Amino acid sequence: MAQPQPLSWQQELSEAAERWLVAIAATAELQALRQVEVESLGKKGEITGLTRRLATLPNEDKRAYGAAVGELKTRIEQAISTQRTTLEDLVITQELADTSFDVTLPPAPGRPGHVHPLSQVQADVERVFETMGFHVLDCPEVESEFDNFEALNIPGWHPAREMQDTFWLQAPEGQGRQLLRTHTSAGQVRAMHQFAPPFRAIFPGKVYRYEATDASHEHTFHQVEGLMIDRHVSVGHLLDSMRTLLSAILRRDVQVRLRPGYFPFVEPGFELDISCQVCAGAGCSVCKQSGWLELLPCGLVHPQVLRMGGLDPNEWQGWAFGLGLSRLVMMRFGVPDVRLLLSGDARFLGQF
Ligand code: PHE
């Protein structure tokens, strides 16, 4: 019977590799892995011992043996490092599992923002007028006294100024007085200078007034101005445009009526009422039993305003309206207090 041969150094190294790689993979805790590291690669560890053995080998074996031991050491180092990452991840997962936090749950639903009700209705108004060939203009909120008042036939002494006091600004010397516009009508003469007649435009935006606030008054609110300049413009054009607009916005057929109204920049001037959307014209507390709601002032552009805009009133006429956008939003969504609209209250805004 053949004597068992002593292992060659090649066999010995491959056996050691096998053994340590299995031992490393078998560790279940960082502490145990550290122990394996000491026993294999530590100062008195087996692999370190194998490295030292180089000196005792015959010269012709030294180079091959050195390379093989080096390779073995690298494999073990890499295996330890990989296993360390695995065990560390395990520790983190374990810590998370110990808290009441479930990492496998889907994320909590976010609260995506949405379009403000004022902007929703404004976009609807813009869409309706765009289909009728109107430009949509963005006019400045800081206005000159001229554009806001004088160009509109409201000189400094005019009693109509009293109804629309506002926030005045300190303008640089020699620039005339500036203010936060009290109405979008301030854009009328600007538009006449911007476009050659005939033209149609609306200009929506914020306006400001010095108001005692209550459920139906706010110091900052939204209007949409409409202006059409053409030859032979009549009240009939105005009425039909208004009916088209309101039916589209309120999404039902509405009746409109005109009452005389005074504004220095229109002649004749009107208050346009719509049939009450709450009682369908039968009479209720919202419309004070009249069946009608006052919605927007309008009229034919005053010849003096046309002149201010550089137009000859004998050639050109126009109509204008000033729609209370805030009020329209309140009617569309049944908002009881105008102050809610700009309150920034998420409980209110979350409903739209
Ligand atoms: N600018 C006026 C206001 O805010 C409304 C208006 C606009 C009246 C256009 C007539 C024509 O009260």
Side-chain angles (χ1 to χ4, degrees):
M1 242 178 99
Q3 287 290 313
Q5 292 288 308
L7 289 179
S8 69
W9 61 258
Q10 285 90 344
Q11 284 169 320
E12 204 178 328
L13 290 189
S14 95
E15 181 272 334
E18 184 98 344
R19 202 160 23 80
W20 284 114
L21 291 178
V22 169
I24 290 164
T27 56
E29 282 175 5
L30 283 168
Q31 181 59 36
L33 181 64
R34 235 167 273 129
Q35 187 63 30
V36 171
E37 190 176 20
V38 170
E39 286 169 10
S40 55
L41 301 173
K43 261 191 201 150
K44 296 179 184 162
E46 181 180 341
I47 308 301
T48 316
L50 289 175
T51 314
R52 286 208 190 98
R53 206 187 304 147
L54 188 67
T56 68
L57 290 180
N59 273 348
E60 62 270 24
D61 280 356
K62 275 186 180 159
R63 177 187 285 266
Y65 183 82
V69 172
E71 191 193 319
L72 170 61
K73 202 175 155 196
T74 309
R75 280 179 72 192
I76 291 179
E77 280 168 354
Q78 277 170 359
I80 289 176
S81 155
T82 308
Q83 181 72 353
R84 178 168 290 124
T85 310
T86 308
L87 293 179
E88 278 169 353
D89 285 350
L90 213 65
V91 169
I92 292 168
T93 313
Q94 189 59 42
E95 279 170 2
L96 286 175
D98 287 348
T99 68
S100 55
F101 181 70
D102 183 350
V103 287
T104 64
L105 280 179
R111 294 178 55 195
H114 64 283
V115 178
H116 192 286
L118 271 165
S119 305
Q120 290 179 31
V121 176
Q122 180 176 321
D124 283 354
V125 172
E126 289 177 7
R127 199 161 351 101
V128 172
F129 277 101
E130 273 167 351
T131 62
M132 297 195 285
F134 282 70
H135 299 282
V136 179
L137 299 188
D138 195 12
C139 295
E141 291 176 25
V142 172
E143 261 298 0
S144 64
E145 180 175 20
F146 178 80
D147 277 310
N148 196 83
F149 288 129
E150 272 147 35
L152 295 172
N153 222 6
I154 316 174
W157 51 263
H158 200 288
R161 288 245 180 151
E162 299 255 306
M163 298 189 300
Q164 296 193 3
D165 202 2
T166 182
F167 305 91
W168 292 87
L169 305 167
Q170 270 180 335
E173 197 69 34
Q175 284 212 353
R177 298 215 293 165
Q178 291 191 316
L179 47 82
L180 294 183
R181 65 178 175 192
T182 60
H183 52 183
T184 44
S185 301
Q188 285 192 14
V189 167
R190 281 181 179 280
M192 290 178 205
H193 285 296
Q194 186 172 342
F195 297 104
F199 72 88
R200 308 163 190 191
I202 60 168
F203 9 119
K206 266 192 213 134
V207 301
Y208 304 83
R209 292 201 194 162
Y210 179 67
E211 288 278 3
T213 59
D214 62 29
S216 49
H217 295 90
E218 176 64 296
H219 50 71
T220 303
F221 56 101
H222 287 69
Q223 290 188 330
V224 181
E225 193 82 4
L227 179 65
M228 174 177 171
I229 301 288
D230 209 327
R231 295 184 171 93
H232 315 298
V233 170
S234 76
V235 175
H237 297 122
L238 171 62
L239 262 180
D240 193 60
S241 305
M242 294 302 97
R243 209 178 0 238
T244 307
L245 164 73
L246 296 170
S247 299
I249 299 297
L250 297 171
R251 296 171 182 173
R252 64 195 88 137
D253 252 354
V254 293
Q255 300 297 312
V256 300
R257 73 171 186 188
L258 291 180
R259 284 179 296 116
Y262 176 68
F263 302 92
F265 40 96
V266 284
E267 179 59 37
F270 307 104
E271 290 287 354
L272 183 138
D273 297 342
I274 64 167
S275 48
C276 179
Q277 299 303 296
V278 178
C279 63
C284 69
S285 64
V286 174
C287 60
K288 302 196 188 90
Q289 310 305 328
S290 72
W292 296 96
L293 283 175
E294 183 180 319
L295 186 67
L296 80 150
C298 53
L300 297 189
V301 180
H302 196 289
Q304 183 60 18
V305 177
L306 290 169
R307 270 184 220 109
M308 288 290 191
L311 301 175
D312 177 359
N314 292 319
E315 187 178 1
W316 301 103
Q317 296 90 49
W319 57 247
F321 69 83
L323 171 67
L325 191 65
S326 303
R327 183 171 286 189
L328 196 59
V329 172
M330 291 169 76
M331 278 184 359
R332 162 108 156 244
F333 294 113
V335 177
D337 191 324
V338 65
R339 291 169 294 188
L340 287 165
L341 291 177
L342 296 183
S343 66
D345 187 333
R347 292 167 303 180
F348 167 71
L349 293 174
Q351 301 173 63
F352 300 96

